[in-house]
Structures are given as structure tokens and as C-alpha cells.
Amino acid sequence: MKKYILAVLVDNKPGVLTHVSGLISRRAFNIESISAGYTEDEDVTRINIEVSVEDDRELEQVVNQLGKLIDVIKIVNLGLVDSIVRELVLLKVRATKGSLADIRNIVDIFRGNIVDVSPENVVIELTGSQSKINAICEMLEDFEIIEIARTGAIALSRGPIPIKNM
Amino acid sequence: MNGAQAILESLKRENVDLVFGYPGGAVLDLYDAVYQARFPHILTRHEQGAVHAADGYARATGKVGVVFATSGPGATNLITGIATANMDSVPLVCFTGQVTNPLIGKDSFQEADIVGITTPITKHNYLVKRASELPRVIKEAFFIARTGRPGPVVIDIAKDVFTTVLDYEYPQKVKLRGYKGDFTGDEGQIRDVVEALGEAKRPVFFIGGGVTLSNQTEVMREIVKNTGIPVVSSLMGLGCIPAKQEGFLGMVGMHGSYAANMAVQKSDLLIGIGVRFDDRVTGKIDAFAPNAKIVHFEVDKAEINKNIFSHYPVIGDLRWSLPIFNEQLQGSGEDYLDRFAKWHKQVVDMDRECPFSYKTNDKVIMPQQLIDTVSGMVDENTIVVTDVGQHQMWAAQFFNSRNPRQFITSGGLGTMGYGLPAALGAKLGCPDKRVVLFTGDGSVMMNCQEMSTAADNNIDIKVVLLHNRVLGMVTQWQRMFYGKRYSQTLLGGKTDYVKLAQAMGMEACRIEKPQELEASLEKALNVKGPMLIDVMLPANEDVLPMVAPGAQLDNMVLGGAEA
């Protein structure tokens, strides 16, 4: 299985997410993550879809089927162009007086931040690639991870050209 | 002007001359406007009847079919019809009432999430919560339904929108950022096909519903005439090339002709035009046309490489690509007729040796004989509608289809119960054409309430009932693959379909003996007004040839007169 990040520009209208998620389920595509948000154009929403496919033909199907949706304006496979991929994770980790220093060391190594602290836990914020996030999760397992919230991957191409002009 | 009136005004702007529907609580205001405007409307006896009727109307006329239904159960009763239209790319616009804005999401009386439910079976859908959106949404809906690869669009409208007053202005143009509706492509792709044809020795045209949908029959016929390339058709493509034309080998696939299936398997260049390489056509996909390079003329990019890899895709509307293809072939300087003469003769000989056939006897009427006899009695402008099952395949094999939009059948979804309401819609769309429905005793029962619609509106259709007291296609599979264990497929035969039709207000008669078949049919087909002809048939006849599911196309059980 190969993973790609698709940046999908859609009309900012009600029902769009229903259409996109309905299509994914109907065609039985494998989705690793999906996230959506406003863009520089108030009429346009950007949906970031991380998709797993067996081969190029399946990838072509995902892109073409999504492209058929009336509210889809543009799709660019950022896995095929030079791009920056990031994911944000928030981690709630058990922390005692004894373990706090060790946790801080790990967080510093990964260039994360501790954004909340209580006598029993800390909340860590970290941005990065998925492998980096997986690595910090592995390191923090020794301290007991109470809860994880991940955004899924988002991506932007390098250089001045936005995907709408690609 | 209120929302309800704005809808009817917009329908007039879209040249809609007939709506099929069924009233209810959420659309009372819409129906009040229908009453006041005397808008042409056919009341079916079930919402499923309304949507199939609109579908039959759309297929027969090429126009967009329009449906009204109420919220909740009214709208959910449309689902099978919408899915049917979606699979066969039929343009429909369905208006459904929704509960009032403040009640949406509260599990209110007769509330269902119609946008959510219809998302996977529509080309597009809308929930309209503000009356001011109506003109734009309706304009877009008709544009989306009929352009590109056509399909059904649902507009779900909150009840209070119908009574809200708005400043009505119907937009001149559609503004959609992600959909343009015109699909012209790369002429170079067409040149590649012409070049490939220059190398080919055994090319075959494989035509489908797309040729009819894009009204390209004439161009297709010219290409066939000028090249002499043999033609096979999907179920949806029947009528594009006259059934008895030499070199037309008929339907291909599971119940396709011997010659059609063999030609595809022997072909070295298979030129698919407006088809989607459905599993009922290809059989075992890895062994389909094993020696051929695949050409695929198609408007829908997502169909390319979906089921089969195409070496030469031509992406674009057939309205654009086929005339250019025709021109380039004529300009190529090749004498295709001469080049493919030997191959043409080879497949025509195969077709002569092993045509669709059957044996008659003096005891029982054979189903194929019935279709054949009707086919010989009606003129070339007759519209044939079918339901789904054995009778559908026999109609595809034995009815002499001569024109497009005259063989109307649920191909992709295979919806039993489609036929009767679709026949009504076809007749209302084409009042000057004779409409004959072939149906079975299983299928007709699924929407038999529409006999009442036919009777009350005096819609002149002839219902030819292939009555064998079993769910024929399923029994055939049970006979072939399940050790003759006829699980839940024997109907008992107590129902009197003649009385049923008469009770609904239709005329009806029964034919039982082969000796009386012709005379009785002739008489019944010429009765004015709706008529059911109940023809008693043996229960154990198989549709042949047959390619077993998952087998390759040249692995056919043949049967017919030779068996």
C-alpha cells in the first residue's frame, strides 16, 4: 500500500463533506485521515485526504471519482510534487514530580511544547511528520499516554504557486 | 411569488411539460400551486411508480424527467428509482419536500435525511433551506442532470420554503466552479485510435448507452457503414444499430450472441464507445478480449481504467469525439471496407451458423417465440420496455430493435418493477409511438398498482406478460448452479392476472395455445387503450447462450434450436 496526500479544493457549501465522505464509503477507498478548513478564498474549503492505495490505477480512480463530484473544484496529489507535510498532535501524558524532567527532555528533543500542566499530567503539543509523531508517542509510552488527538496530515507544495494554479 | 410558484415557473423555463408525483404533507403547498397553475402532472399510485415513469419518459424523449414527492417515506420510496436512473445515466430532477426548517434534525414526523441517503446514488443533490436559493439551485440541477454524463439530481426543500415570498429572477447562466458541463478533449487521442486501426486486422466496435444518450446514433451508423467493422452492443446500446443489419452481432456478454462473444475474444482492437465494461459484459475480466488492445471513447474520466485497462482512451463527450473520429477515418485514405472484408465475413458467417434460436412445438408457447411474434407485428417506431429477468434477456435477444431510445430497460441496477411505470412514462413522452411492455409475473407484481394509473389516465400501453409462475432467472441459476433447489422462487400460480388488470380498470386477455398466438396477439395489440396480455409459458426454459458468472466469454452454454 502506498500513501498519498490529496489536497481537494471544494465549494464552501452545506453538504460538501457528506458528498466527499459518501463517495469514499461508496467506492470503498482506504482513507488514513481527512481534515477540512477554510482557505484564503472564503467560498472555498480545503479538504486534506490521506489515502492508501494498492497501485497507480486505484490512485487514478480515487482522484477521478472525487473529481466527478460537482462541488469539487480542484484536486492535486501533493504526494507527487515537492511539498511539506505536517501533522499536529496533542498528547495528554501522566506526569509526576519525579518524571516531569524526563518528559521535558523528550519534548525538547522533539521540539514540542508543554502547553498545560497539572500535578498529575502534562499536555504536549507537537507538529511534524507522522514518523516524528509516532516516535515521540513511542518514547512517551513509558510514562503512560492518557489521551491522543491527531489532526491527520496536511500539506502545502514548495514554491510560490498555489495548487489552484497548478 | 412564493417558493412553490417559483418552482413551477422555473420548470416552465426549463421546458418541462409533465411532472410525475405523489402528494403529501410536506408538499401540500407545492401541490396547491400545481392545482392553481393547472401544471401538467400525473399522479402515480406509489412514489416508486412516479420516479420510474419519469425515468421512462426521460429515456424515450431525451428530456429531463421530473418528480415530486413528499418528505420521509415519500422521498425514501424514490430511492430504488433514483438508483436505477443513476446506474443507467438517466437525467432526472426529483423535488422532495422536507420538514420545516425549525423541525429539521429533530426526528420530526415524516422526516428523513434525503441528502444523506441519496448522496451515493445521485449525480448531485441539494437541501434548500432558503427560498432565495431556489432559482439558482433549480437552474443548476437541470444543467447538471442533462449535461456530461447525465444523471439524477435531488432537490430537498424545507416545507416553509414553499410559502416564503421571494424576488424571483431565473438565472441565465450556471456558475459552477468545479463543473463546466462541456467535455471536449484531446484530438491527438482520436488520431492515435485511427493510427491503431491502421494496424488492426480484427477490430470490433463495442457500443453502449452512451451513444444513445449523446444522440450520436447517426454518426455511429455512418462510421460502421464506411468501415465495415463488426459491431457488438451492451444491453443499453441496443437500437443504435438496427438489429438485423449485417455485421451487427447483437448483445455481448453473459447472454450475448455466440458471434458477438467470439468476435470480442478474437478481436485485436476492441473499440468501446459509451460503455463501462460492466461485469455482465466482460465475464472473467482477465480473459476478456485477451488479444485486443482496448480503445475507450468515454465522457466520464473515472470510467477509464475502472474495470479494464485501456490502451487508447479518448476522454470527452461523444458529441465532440465521434464526429471528429468519423472525419479522420474518412480523411485517412484507407479503404477500411476492403481491409476488413475478410474479418467481416468471418464474423457474419459465425452469426449465421449460430444465431439466437429456439424450437417451437404445438403444445406450449415458447417465450422466445412470443417476443419474435410481437416483434414481427409492430412497426419500427415501437418503443419496447422491459422489466428484469429472463423475459428481459429474451427481449434483448429476439426483439428487432431498429432505433435508439426504443429499447427501454433497467440495465445497470436490474430493477424488477421498473417496466410498468417506465412504459407509462415512455408513452406519455411519445404519445405517437406504440409502447409495448414485456414483463414477467414476478416483475409486474412489484409495481402492479400502476395498472390503475394506466387505466385512470387511459395511457395506451400493451403489457405482454410472460407468465411462467416462477421467478425465472433465479430458477435458471438454481437449476444450473444449485442442484435444482428452487428456494422461494415458485409463485404458486393462483393469481389471476387478467382479473387483476380488469380490477384495476384495464382491459385484459389470456393466450395459452401456440395455435392461437398470432391471431390473439394481433387482436389484443390493436385494442385502443391500456391492455394486459397474459401469455402462459412453460416454467423450465433457460436463457441461452449463457456464460457462467466469472467464466470467460468464449466459454458459452449454447442451447437454442441446435441443442
Side-chain angles (χ1 to χ4, degrees):
Chain A
M1 294 289 257
K2 265 179 125 175
K3 281 187 204 173
Y4 296 94
I5 296 187
L6 306 179
V8 184
L9 300 181
V10 300
D11 286 323
N12 180 15
K13 282 185 191 155
V16 173
L17 278 180
T18 308
H19 293 157
V20 171
S21 56
L23 180 111
I24 288 165
S25 105
R26 171 182 170 212
R27 299 283 174 190
F29 296 145
N30 291 310
I31 297 299
E32 300 287 321
S33 73
I34 182 165
S35 64
Y38 297 119
T39 64
E40 70 283 357
D41 179 343
E42 64 177 43
D43 296 328
V44 175
T45 299
R46 183 183 180 114
I47 302 180
N48 310 286
I49 301 174
E50 200 182 357
V51 61
S52 289
V53 293
E54 288 284 354
D55 51 28
D56 286 354
R57 213 165 124 184
E58 195 186 352
L59 175 67
E60 182 189 351
Q61 264 295 298
V62 176
V63 172
N64 287 339
Q65 292 291 358
L66 279 170
K68 269 169 77 172
L69 294 176
I70 304 292
D71 14 46
V72 169
I73 300 165
K74 178 111 193 194
I75 305 171
V76 172
N77 184 345
L78 289 174
L80 299 179
V81 297
D82 193 11
S83 53
I84 304 133
V85 183
R86 290 291 182 273
E87 178 171 356
L88 170 68
V89 64
L90 294 174
L91 291 157
K92 187 174 286 188
V93 180
R94 185 84 60 205
T96 57
K97 268 187 191 147
S99 65
L100 190 56
D102 290 342
I103 291 173
R104 279 183 68 168
N105 275 337
I106 291 169
V107 170
D108 283 347
I109 290 167
F110 282 93
R111 296 193 189 139
N113 295 307
I114 291 175
V115 291
D116 184 49
V117 65
S118 83
E120 289 170 57
N121 80 295
V122 292
V123 174
I124 299 158
E125 169 201 79
L126 180 76
T127 315
S129 67
Q130 289 190 330
S131 61
K132 178 173 158 186
I133 290 172
N134 291 342
I136 197 175
C137 288
E138 213 170 286
M139 290 303 293
L140 290 169
E141 255 167 29
D142 293 345
F143 304 94
E144 190 191 341
I145 299 173
I146 302 166
E147 194 174 7
I148 301 179
R150 292 173 74 154
T151 59
I154 61 171
L156 271 187
S157 61
R158 292 184 190 275
I161 303 164
I163 61 161
K164 66 184 172 196
N165 297 336
M166 278 181 180
Chain B
M1 189 185 287
N2 67 21
Q5 292 161 332
I7 290 167
L8 297 187
E9 181 56 34
S10 306
L11 293 185
K12 280 185 207 154
R13 305 280 179 102
E14 294 292 341
N15 298 317
V16 174
D17 49 20
L18 186 61
V19 171
F20 300 86
Y22 203 104
V27 287
L28 270 166
D29 297 298
L30 179 59
Y31 272 94
D32 195 45
V34 166
Y35 183 90
Q36 298 202 29
R38 297 168 172 266
F39 202 94
H41 179 282
I42 290 288
L43 168 68
T44 54
R45 299 300 181 265
H46 189 298
E47 286 89 352
Q48 191 185 348
V51 63
H52 288 324
D55 172 309
Y57 174 94
R59 293 192 207 219
T61 62
K63 295 194 273 190
V64 178
V66 180
V67 182
F68 288 171
T70 193
S71 66
T76 55
N77 277 344
L78 298 180
I79 301 305
T80 303
I82 295 170
T84 303
N86 193 50
M87 284 290 259
D88 290 344
S89 307
V90 177
L92 294 184
V93 174
C94 303
F95 292 84
T96 54
Q98 182 51 275
V99 298
T100 60
N101 268 303
L103 289 177
I104 290 176
K106 305 286 197 295
D107 298 324
S108 312
F109 177 64
Q110 292 197 328
E111 184 187 4
D113 170 18
I114 294 310
V115 164
I117 292 171
T118 60
T119 287
I121 53 166
T122 48
K123 188 168 173 190
H124 196 51
N125 59 21
Y126 297 90
L127 170 61
V128 179
K129 297 168 99 173
R130 286 194 306 268
S132 60
E133 298 170 358
L134 273 176
R136 173 187 61 82
V137 166
I138 297 172
K139 179 83 186 175
E140 286 178 10
F142 276 87
F143 179 74
I144 291 165
R146 73 169 163 251
T147 54
R149 180 178 182 173
V153 178
V154 167
I155 307 177
D156 196 31
I157 303 167
K159 184 178 179 185
D160 43 322
V161 168
F162 293 118
T163 49
T164 305
V165 173
L166 69 151
D167 276 336
Y168 182 81
E169 198 188 336
Y170 201 61
Q172 293 289 313
K173 280 195 176 149
V174 171
K175 277 179 248 160
L176 290 164
R177 296 176 75 165
Y179 181 84
K180 295 288 166 267
D182 59 342
F183 296 87
T184 56
D186 172 7
E187 281 192 33
Q189 292 188 325
I190 303 175
R191 271 196 300 279
D192 292 346
V193 177
V194 175
E195 230 166 77
L197 205 52
E199 312 274 300
K201 293 189 172 65
R202 297 179 306 281
V204 172
F205 282 128
F206 165 35
I207 60 170
V211 181
T212 302
L213 287 169
S214 57
N215 297 321
Q216 290 304 299
T217 303
E218 289 311 316
V219 182
M220 193 63 233
R221 287 181 177 184
E222 202 180 312
I223 293 171
V224 171
K225 193 178 119 221
N226 292 340
T227 58
I229 295 172
V231 186
V232 303
S233 174
S234 72
L235 179 64
M236 303 307 297
L238 293 177
C240 176
I241 302 295
K244 303 236 157 125
Q245 182 171 312
E246 195 176 86
F248 178 70
L249 309 175
M251 186 167 67
V252 65
M254 184 175 274
H255 294 297
S257 76
Y258 172 77
N261 287 354
M262 294 307 288
V264 165
Q265 292 304 84
K266 285 178 192 291
S267 148
D268 64 354
L269 189 72
L270 184 67
I271 308 168
I273 303 180
V275 290
R276 56 189 178 83
F277 296 92
D278 179 79
D279 57 87
R280 283 294 185 272
V281 163
T282 61
K284 187 180 180 188
I285 194 91
D286 305 330
F288 176 72
N291 307 310
K293 291 261 173 29
I294 306 288
V295 176
H296 197 176
F297 283 78
E298 174 57 49
V299 66
D300 179 356
K301 206 172 155 191
E303 287 301 336
I304 306 288
N305 298 343
K306 184 182 83 179
N307 292 339
I308 194 163
F309 176 78
S310 55
H311 305 80
Y312 301 101
V314 180
I315 302 166
D317 198 319
L318 296 182
R319 291 177 186 90
W320 160 79
S321 58
L322 277 188
I324 297 175
F325 184 45
N326 189 21
E327 243 169 62
Q328 293 195 2
L329 287 173
Q330 289 181 16
S332 70
E334 282 264 10
D335 185 350
Y336 294 110
L337 284 175
D338 183 57
R339 271 199 46 207
F340 301 133
K342 201 174 134 208
W343 166 236
H344 183 97
K345 185 173 178 302
Q346 195 185 336
V347 297
V348 168
D349 287 348
M350 268 196 299
D351 200 25
R352 287 218 181 98
E353 273 164 39
C354 197
F356 290 126
S357 62
Y358 57 91
K359 275 192 286 192
T360 54
N361 61 67
D362 55 8
K363 291 197 182 63
V364 288
I365 300 167
M366 298 307 284
Q368 304 93 328
Q369 175 189 12
L370 168 61
I371 308 246
D372 217 357
T373 310
V374 173
S375 183
M377 284 179 178
V378 296
D379 65 287
E380 66 167 334
N381 295 318
T382 301
I383 296 177
V384 163
V385 184
T386 82
D387 252 302
V388 168
Q390 285 187 315
H391 72 269
Q392 178 189 31
M393 292 298 107
W394 283 318
Q397 294 178 335
F398 291 96
F399 190 84
N400 179 15
S401 290
R402 285 162 280 188
N403 287 301
R405 300 198 179 280
Q406 290 183 185
F407 190 86
I408 294 177
T409 192
S410 169
L413 200 68
T415 305
M416 286 174 71
Y418 170 80
L420 179 59
L424 299 179
K427 181 66 190 178
L428 289 163
C430 302
D432 299 333
K433 291 184 178 177
R434 191 204 278 261
V435 173
V436 175
L437 165 68
F438 290 113
T439 183
D441 42 338
S443 281
V444 79
M445 208 56 151
M446 285 205 180
N447 272 315
C448 64
Q449 76 284 348
E450 302 309 331
M451 289 185 199
S452 186
T453 312
D456 284 337
N457 295 284
N458 194 28
I459 304 168
D460 188 355
I461 58 164
K462 299 293 175 279
V463 180
V464 179
L465 177 62
L466 284 80
H467 189 170
N468 59 3
R469 302 182 197 82
V470 290
L471 303 178
M473 190 57 97
V474 185
T475 56
Q476 176 171 338
W477 285 49
Q478 289 171 333
R479 192 154 48 242
M480 293 175 133
F481 311 117
Y482 292 86
K484 298 188 182 175
R485 294 185 297 281
Y486 296 120
S487 179
Q488 304 300 316
T489 44
L490 310 179
L491 291 172
K494 287 272 168 56
T495 306
D496 186 330
Y497 286 81
V498 168
K499 281 187 187 158
L500 174 67
Q502 286 167 343
M504 294 277 192
M506 282 176 60
E507 301 249 347
C509 67
R510 179 170 296 129
I511 308 177
E512 293 178 87
K513 294 200 176 64
Q515 294 79 5
E516 59 178 11
L517 179 64
E518 265 187 58
S520 303
L521 263 181
E522 185 79 53
K523 198 172 138 206
L525 287 173
N526 288 311
V527 168
K528 279 261 172 289
M531 171 92 190
L532 181 135
I533 307 161
D534 181 16
V535 188
M536 305 307 291
L537 304 171
N540 54 358
E541 188 63 15
D542 288 330
V543 178
L544 295 171
M546 179 167 184
V547 178
Q552 60 187 55
L553 276 195
D554 45 11
N555 186 2
M556 283 169 273
V557 180
L558 281 176
E562 306 302 317

